[in-house]
Amino acid sequence: MKKIIYLIVYMAIPVSFFTSCKDATENTEPQTETASVEVQKDEDFRPNFHFTPEKNWMNDPNGMFYFNGYFHLFFQHYPDDNVWGPMHWGHAISNDMISWKEQPIAIYPDEKGYIFSGSAVVDKNNTSGFGKNGKTPIVAIFTYHDPKGEKKGDIDYQSQAIAYSLDEGQTWTKYESNPVIENPGIKDFRDPKVTWDGIHQQWIMVLATYEKTLFYTSKDLKNWTRQSDFGEGIGAHGGVWECPDFFPMYVGDTNELKWVLIQSLNPGGYNGGSGTQYFVGDFDGKTFTPVEQMKDLGEKHPYWMDFGKDNYAGVTWANIPEENGRTLFLGWMSNWQYAQKVPTETWRSAMTVARELKLEKLDGKYIISSVPVQELQSYRSKKYKDQNIQIDGLTKIIDSEKIALNSAEIRFEISDLKEKKYQFKLSNSTGEELLFGYDHSDKEFFINRSKAGQVDFSEEFASKISTAPRISTAENLDGTIIIDQTSIELFFDGGKTVMTEIFFPNHPWETLSLQSVDGSFTLNEIEAYQLKFN
Ligand code: FRU
């Protein structure tokens, strides 16, 4: 991708500013010389291997399905500005969920309203009757959001509608009898996610309202019956429930089948703002019943898809072939607290790396783990590996000569954990740093981006250190660190605890160090790969 370096000329700024940000306030002597520094901006901030819209605003992933060798990703898009506005469905395709090709806009707003979040299914048996001449219909199910009604102060301005495509998602025809679910008098009533339920031979829709998930079923995607609700008083409720997903999964390698409900909410996320929690349970075709461990789940619980601040509204791909069998997930890599203010102008927001989800049983409890999809590994180029490194104080592990730290996959292992803090540091020579790691004394992971470059565009971006509980009880700690231009994704303990956050350093990261805060330790293994993209 084309990089534009903006040259900013600073007049009469202490020279020390350019060597260490920390020193900037200490050197008060006036300087008259002119210095110049190239700072990263806009296109430099654009990720190498995370999807971003070519231009302007993006939020939630929508309508994700797989068909004929392609993964489709639609997304909430405002093509005319870099902030949220009248919502369209943008579209991108990929054959590996890593390299994306943006397509023309798929669905436009109309007189019934903006096209809010929703899903798409491959209607192989033509249950909808939209198929013609043997062509498989793809059916999109979305929320119409009527801005006129909202302005008037109505409460019934959101309803569910469908559209179909007979050319693999390129062009869409809206159903003439929309909406298919009228608003029953609920203000927040949106984000339909539809899944084929092969067990009960029906389509299931989950829909979010302010404080609960509604379950509907249908035989033809046009006529829907409301069956049940879930969630009032269970789990986190610090904000509005949005963007649910619901699907069956086997537990590990067993034949035990459970149903997973993913439920985003905003605000009320684990570290503030937007976040995505999950529930595991059973489904009889009409009603979802959570497992014992989740029956009385309180506000501050440990069941989150991602504990970092920047993974929201994530959902899974529909129509993954059974022989493949994976549950594949991707989220929006931002947070409503500051998404519209982040320091990029021509484009705004990226998606997370696609992830494979697993449902596991750990000490009798059901948990979801996630790891980057294996397709990412085919982008590995240069490799750097080292073993048994003694970490004493701050120890450099990787520098940009070995692996450029704007496109890297790094795996590490530390055995025999002690009650201490294991802290990684990404830094550049101007003193900017991103700190992350694990504190075994309180069994918490953390990310601290307060000195990671531009932070003051929002009070809520970096004022608090983000934390995450350790779910695993293993004596060894392993992790996969995925770094792109402006994001870090941390998959600890095989993905049992995940943290994703974005950052905007003025200069590229040059060094990855590991720090022993209280006594030395051994880093058993580190394996780093350059991820190569055109
Ligand atoms: C979540 C969300 C959805 C809504 C969409 C509008 O980020 O608020 O609930 O459908 O964004 O763009």
Side-chain angles (χ1 to χ4, degrees):
M1 249 157 244
K2 219 171 124 223
K3 296 269 143 77
I4 303 166
I5 303 277
Y6 292 74
L7 191 72
I8 301 219
V9 178
Y10 290 90
M11 305 281 284
I13 293 177
V15 168
S16 59
F17 176 87
F18 303 109
T19 49
S20 164
C21 279
K22 277 199 221 113
D23 296 337
T25 49
E26 286 156 26
N27 186 345
T28 49
E29 264 181 41
Q31 307 265 328
T32 48
E33 76 191 83
T34 302
S36 67
V37 65
E38 288 174 345
V39 298
Q40 299 199 107
K41 232 182 152 188
D42 244 276
E43 287 304 310
D44 306 301
F45 285 150
R46 197 190 276 274
N48 294 307
F49 57 98
H50 288 81
F51 178 72
T52 52
E54 193 54 44
K55 282 202 193 90
N56 286 321
W57 174 260
M58 172 176 83
N59 56 291
D60 316 354
N62 294 152
M64 289 153 58
F65 70 89
Y66 174 84
F67 191 59
N68 251 347
Y70 283 102
F71 293 90
H72 292 255
L73 166 65
F74 297 84
F75 52 92
Q76 288 287 280
H77 187 35
Y78 184 33
D80 301 325
D81 205 348
N82 62 8
V83 287
W84 190 89
M87 284 292 110
H88 301 54
W89 273 27
H91 184 202
I93 56 170
S94 168
N95 54 20
D96 64 1
M97 295 170 282
I98 307 293
S99 297
W100 291 98
K101 208 160 179 257
E102 195 166 332
Q103 304 294 302
I105 287 173
I107 311 182
Y108 286 81
D110 58 39
E111 68 296 339
K112 292 199 177 84
Y114 301 166
I115 312 297
F116 268 24
S117 285
S119 48
V121 293
V122 178
D123 184 14
K124 281 186 262 198
N125 297 324
N126 198 17
T127 61
S128 62
F130 290 137
K132 268 187 222 119
N133 307 327
K135 284 195 184 138
T136 305
I138 313 289
V139 180
I141 309 95
F142 57 87
T143 298
Y144 262 130
H145 171 97
D146 174 12
K148 297 186 286 317
E150 184 186 23
K151 222 173 182 173
K152 270 201 289 168
D154 295 349
I155 54 165
D156 59 353
Y157 53 85
Q158 293 183 339
S159 59
Q160 318 316 322
I162 59 178
Y164 64 93
S165 169
L166 297 177
D167 58 3
E168 303 193 12
Q170 288 300 315
T171 58
W172 294 83
T173 306
K174 288 169 185 147
Y175 178 45
E176 73 267 6
S177 304
N178 276 335
V180 291
I181 303 182
E182 301 222 16
N183 189 298
I186 302 176
K187 189 160 171 275
D188 293 290
F189 182 68
R190 59 178 176 268
D191 309 337
K193 178 73 165 79
V194 175
T195 303
W196 173 250
D197 169 9
I199 302 164
H200 308 99
Q201 291 291 302
Q202 59 182 357
W203 296 104
I204 320 169
M205 178 198 291
V206 278
L207 192 65
T209 64
Y210 189 90
E211 77 296 21
K212 58 188 178 209
T213 319
L214 309 187
F215 289 73
Y216 290 75
T217 58
S218 172
K219 293 284 178 200
D220 61 3
L221 295 163
K222 293 171 178 162
N223 297 289
W224 292 93
T225 310
R226 184 166 160 182
Q227 300 288 5
S228 58
D229 310 345
F230 169 80
E232 225 174 327
I234 304 180
H237 281 278
V240 188
W241 280 23
E242 302 181 317
C243 300
D245 194 358
F246 188 58
F247 47 85
M249 282 184 97
Y250 284 107
V251 181
D253 297 328
T254 73
N255 287 328
E256 185 187 0
L257 191 83
K258 289 283 170 205
W259 285 77
V260 175
L261 173 67
I262 289 180
Q263 186 57 76
S264 285
L265 81 161
N266 177 62
Y270 193 84
N271 281 294
S274 318
T276 304
Q277 57 188 331
Y278 66 85
F279 303 91
V280 180
D282 296 297
F283 182 62
D284 62 6
K286 292 185 174 173
T287 307
F288 173 70
T289 311
V291 292
E292 203 52 42
Q293 91 206 46
M294 293 182 174
K295 281 220 158 85
D296 304 307
L297 212 57
E299 276 289 326
K300 199 79 184 168
H301 63 75
Y303 307 112
W304 294 83
M305 299 303 290
D306 193 315
F307 291 87
K309 289 195 74 155
D310 299 304
N311 183 352
Y312 191 57
V315 284
T316 58
W317 261 281
N319 201 42
I320 299 300
E322 243 167 64
E323 63 278 13
N324 182 306
R326 292 184 293 172
T327 304
L328 300 166
F329 171 96
L330 166 146
W332 174 46
M333 201 157 54
S334 197
N335 190 313
W336 280 113
Q337 285 181 333
Y338 42 75
Q340 302 188 80
K341 300 183 200 155
V342 295
T344 62
E345 301 217 328
T346 52
W347 62 278
R348 275 242 172 92
S349 299
M351 295 299 181
T352 66
V353 79
R355 299 163 185 197
E356 179 179 356
L357 305 185
K358 294 245 165 76
L359 177 59
E360 302 179 40
K361 220 167 172 181
L362 187 76
D363 303 329
K365 299 221 161 113
Y366 296 93
I367 57 149
I368 290 195
S369 64
S370 48
V371 291
V373 291
Q374 75 205 24
E375 283 83 343
L376 187 63
Q377 295 177 12
S378 57
Y379 292 86
R380 287 173 175 177
S381 58
K382 203 160 62 156
K383 176 177 175 178
Y384 167 76
K385 190 174 169 166
D386 205 351
Q387 277 169 330
N388 299 324
I389 310 166
Q390 194 61 22
I391 307 295
D392 235 334
L394 188 65
T395 311
K396 180 155 93 176
I397 311 175
I398 295 173
D399 58 28
S400 41
E401 307 257 292
K402 292 195 179 91
I403 301 285
L405 293 162
N406 63 351
S407 203
E409 173 193 348
I410 300 160
R411 291 169 183 250
F412 71 90
E413 200 180 311
I414 298 167
S415 60
D416 194 19
L417 291 168
K418 301 268 160 33
E419 301 237 322
K420 62 190 357 268
K421 194 166 167 180
Y422 299 84
Q423 178 163 284
F424 286 92
K425 176 168 157 176
L426 271 170
S427 57
N428 62 28
S429 52
T430 64
E432 292 172 344
E433 60 185 38
L434 178 83
L435 304 173
F436 59 94
Y438 177 58
D439 193 338
H440 197 48
S441 39
D442 51 16
K443 312 249 178 323
E444 252 182 6
F445 296 100
F446 60 92
I447 300 181
N448 178 352
R449 57 184 174 185
S450 61
K451 293 186 193 148
Q454 299 184 35
V455 294
D456 53 9
F457 52 85
S458 160
E459 244 301 290
E460 286 157 313
F461 184 70
S463 50
K464 286 196 208 125
I465 296 173
S466 298
T467 60
R470 186 163 193 231
I471 307 292
S472 167
T473 48
E475 279 171 23
N476 294 0
L477 172 69
D478 64 71
T480 298
I481 305 168
I482 305 290
I483 308 170
D484 202 338
Q485 214 66 44
T486 36
S487 63
I488 188 157
E489 292 164 280
L490 302 169
F491 301 87
F492 294 112
D493 298 313
K496 293 184 180 64
T497 300
V498 179
M499 294 185 90
T500 299
E501 296 213 346
I502 55 175
F503 47 72
F504 300 92
N506 288 303
H507 303 275
W509 300 127
E510 290 156 24
T511 310
L512 177 70
S513 321
L514 188 52
Q515 192 168 12
S516 66
V517 179
D518 29 28
S520 65
F521 67 90
T522 306
L523 169 63
N524 300 77
E525 186 160 301
I526 184 119
E527 195 173 296
Y529 297 91
Q530 191 71 72
L531 297 175
K532 207 165 163 47
F533 300 89
N534 302 324

